[in-house]
Amino acid sequence: MSKRRQTIARRLVEAQRTAAMLTTFNEVDMSAVMALRERRKESFKKEFGVGLGIASFFVKSAIAALRAFPLLNAEIQGDEIVHKHYFDIGVAVGAEGGLVVPVIRDADRLSFAQIELAIRDFATRATDGTLTLEDLRGGTFTITNGGVFGSLMSTPILNPPQVGILGLHKIQDRVVPVNGQPAIRPMMYVALSYDHRIVDGREAVQFLVKIKDFVEDPARLLLEG
């Protein structure tokens, strides 16, 4: 095993052994985000030099939800709960030898474009092997997107000492009820794995519902995020 794979294996086993890990699921109608991206993709790319992806919407929505449910942005140290009043969001990206999770520091202070640029930079450096230990250090909450590999649903594993991780999945057209009538919508299953030692099921479900609400109505990010 490579050193990276050994480290990944050790941390995964640590998460399974130490955390009371559960996963809750929901589904998100991506229509509003996809329509907004379609309207703004050319002007956004021209102005900022990067495409408007879905990741920035989920980073922004996660931060808003973390503000509402701060225990998901905390960690356990001994017998104490340590609250973190900053938002360093880890974003899992593919690399040679396995996924790595570089961290977007103070993500709450960044624009959509700055988040997209940071993620693109991480993906490029993960491919060419220039990510540093500092890029991977810390993090208060993680987002991982198995949908880029075709995953429809999964249970993401915690990245200790974090107590929450959001899993995104493939966007797929499905028939869903809209105003009492069947409609075809681009739907995504989302999953939140959490440490039940400090996060109750009710909080976890409400956290995921809040993310769903923000993504389905992105204007709320301006008003409430």
Side-chain angles (χ1 to χ4, degrees), residues 98-176:
L99 288 176
V100 292
V101 187
V103 177
I104 304 174
R105 311 287 174 186
D106 296 318
D108 57 311
R109 302 180 183 180
L110 302 183
S111 66
F112 279 80
Q114 289 171 320
I115 291 171
E116 293 291 349
L117 286 166
I119 293 171
R120 186 181 69 177
D121 177 62
F122 287 151
T124 299
R125 293 196 288 129
T127 300
D128 63 26
T130 58
L131 285 174
T132 67
L133 287 177
E134 186 58 31
D135 292 324
L136 307 175
R137 199 185 310 277
T140 63
F141 185 82
T142 292
I143 298 174
T144 182
N145 186 359
V148 297
F149 306 111
S151 173
L152 187 61
M153 184 179 289
S154 65
T155 55
I157 190 168
L158 290 172
N159 184 19
Q162 297 172 28
V163 297
I165 179 171
L166 176 67
L168 312 182
H169 299 93
K170 180 181 178 181
I171 300 172
Q172 191 173 64
D173 285 345
R174 295 203 301 274
V175 178
V176 296

Side-chain angles (χ1 to χ4, degrees), residues 30-47:
M30 298 296 294
S31 298
V33 166
M34 294 179 72
L36 178 57
R37 289 176 65 206
E38 183 63 27
R39 291 196 308 270
R40 296 301 308 273
K41 64 179 180 181
E42 292 184 6
S43 59
F44 191 91
K45 181 70 176 289
K46 183 177 180 180
E47 182 173 356

